[in-house]
Amino acid sequence: MTTSPTFPAEFYKVRGGDSGFRIARHSSGQWWWIDPQDEARVMCGVHGVDASVGPLPADIQAGQWGVNLLVPPTAVGFCGQGLPYVHDLQLNRCGAPAIREDGVILPDVFDPAWVEMIEQVFNGSPRTALLVGWIADQELSWGGGYARDEDSLPTRPGLLQVCLGLDPAYRAYHAAWEFVLARHGDDLRQLEKAWGVKIPSRGAVRQHTREEIVFSTPAHQRDLEAFTAEFAMRYFATVRETGAKVNPDCLLFSPLINVYTPAQVASAAASAMHVVMVTQTELVADDVPQFVVDYNWVSSEPKADEARGESLLESTIRNGREELTTLIQRPEILGYAWSQFRAGDLAVDDPLRAGLVDENGRENAVHTYPLAAINLAATTLRVSAA
């Protein structure tokens, strides 16, 4: 039987506190999840454990398939019971009004009320021996402003344009104007010239945004990138400092990083958070510990392989198993979280798109059989790739 690497003798670069759950880098370069008993593990999680619909409690049922981590959304009743879990603090919903406009969902990080309130949220989060860590906000939206490719223009306003067009009651409005004017000689006319946009007054930006006029000149893009970096660094620094103050033994997970996340945000998350949550590989530097979430092997949608004599279902499962096995062996990947615990109706729905169990509590063997085999062999698979 393959044993996991020995902690702490074979590890360095430990992230987290002196006890509890930690993240550490093995001498081979692999990142591992370390439990309170100092055992190196692979994260095999699942989203959406919200109700028991089968013969067993949902967390116990998931554990039978090798699941060892509950990932939000998770019903409160399952937190601190059978399996380790991660808690979503939803910090964008506390304190000052959040920025929710034109593709942006973010807290106003410039408002002292938000900074003061998040410490209360951290302190109010229940702590149990099974709490692995906190997600400050499971999913944020950082706006548009970036083109899909070199031959196109952005179709949605970026974070800077959105903040410049906010109601003056927002601290982010004032911070954005101070930031951008400081880069252009504190002169609105210089800003107009650099951006190639008529801005007779500050209120004009709000009107441009309402009329779906998106700023996209090179000078604006440079300002957008710099402001996004400033906003992200302030967000992540505040979260990290508060988390360390309240409970230094609790891991901090980043908000979700996906293909639409600006590079400045991904970089700030990688620098400040213990674990970066991603939807796929290669979104952040490969020396950063990453946790692939919302995973489901139907995303690639392979076709039936007639040469192999495989149906679409068989081809999807084979490709999915190969993909997940490869994912677990990557040195920067701590593990994954399956997208849905409970979904669909196996009596009428495609089993590939149902959960591990359906809404009536029936086990979906199309998912559970291969996942259980991979989960239970995850440590062996990872050790073999070292």
Side-chain angles (χ1 to χ4, degrees), residues 146 181 199 298 346 360:
Y146 298 93
L181 288 174
I199 309 176
V298 302
L346 290 173
N360 299 304

Side-chain angles (χ1 to χ4, degrees), residues 268-281:
S271 297
M273 300 290 98
H274 297 128
V275 180
V276 178
M277 297 201 309
V278 297
T279 55
Q280 63 186 60
T281 60

Side-chain angles (χ1 to χ4, degrees), residues 292-313:
V292 179
V293 297
D294 200 23
Y295 182 83
N296 191 316
W297 47 43
V298 302
S299 58
S300 58
E301 293 287 0
K303 297 180 180 179
D305 192 330
E306 295 180 1
R308 291 174 177 264
E310 292 179 336
S311 66
L312 175 60
L313 174 62

